[in-house]
Amino acid sequence: MFDPGWLRSFAMVARTLSFTQAAMLLGTRQSTVSEHVRKLEAASGVRLFIRDTHSVSLTSDGEAMVGFADSILETQDRALRHFARGDLEGRIRLGVSEDIVLAGLPHLLRQFTAEHPKVVLELTVGLSEVLRDRFALGELDLTFIKRRRGGGSGEMVWQDPLVWMAAADFRLDHDLPVPLILLSSPAVTRMSALEALGQAGNPWRLICTSESQSGIYAAVAAGLGVAPHARSLLPEGLVELHDDRLPPLDTVEFVILIGQGARRDPARTLVEMIKTNGSLLRHRRNPAASR
């Protein structure tokens, strides 16, 4: 049997691709995380990570173990929450960026409300920067948002590179400026795209501005242009576009900001549920989905 402690350490390293950061997020020592991973590799008889002095990456067996670890830990946590659910009641004002809501979050929220029927969950969806401002004003108890790397406090759920998103049959015309599809200011993805193109000296033209992520998806699917987007949240039917005229973008962090009054149940239980099941929110995409 795989020890849950080993699995939690493995899952956190798989999420962050850093033994140091995994130890920090788990509140333990790096040596402990490394030992847990070694024991899990010994118990399973396979190598889970490729490690050198500069990087950590999952092996194919490690990719498979992520799914098993998530399933085992989610089942264990669900059992614990089930038998404790009678004790939880109250209200949670949760703000979430739209790209997360359009991924796997509704399933987790439905599960949470089913297991804790006495908890009133109030959901606000919007741009990450707008939600962060509302959180600072005390209008939200929790915010699950993306931000540029190293952007301050909060509990990390995962990191993700921004990529250029396009329709599967879209091709850039190198005789014309890059056609951009962007969220309205002050969106994190908008700032990253404009700064990257400006630093690269590449001409661009704004084809579409949208207040919502759904509008961005519709414009991209129509083949109007390209848009910056978190790689692991790319929707079905849209792909990562590689082109010499498109410069690399930032890495963003998906974090939960927690208000002072939300550091205990029921909000704490929801935070732990999201962190434990963070990988379920993301798509494990086939390499053929990028070009």
Side-chain angles (χ1 to χ4, degrees), residues 1-11 35-37 39-40 43:
M1 295 180 64
F2 298 143
D3 185 285
W6 306 349
L7 293 173
R8 289 193 189 280
S9 290
F10 163 76
E35 181 65 18
H36 287 173
V37 171
K39 287 181 177 179
L40 186 58

Side-chain angles (χ1 to χ4, degrees), residues 113-139:
T113 54
E115 294 177 1
H116 307 293
K118 295 181 181 179
V119 176
V120 177
L121 184 62
E122 298 177 1
L123 180 64
T124 300
V125 179
L127 295 176
S128 291
E129 293 301 310
V130 174
L131 293 174
R132 181 151 59 176
D133 289 343
R134 293 192 60 181
F135 173 80
L137 293 172
E139 297 176 2

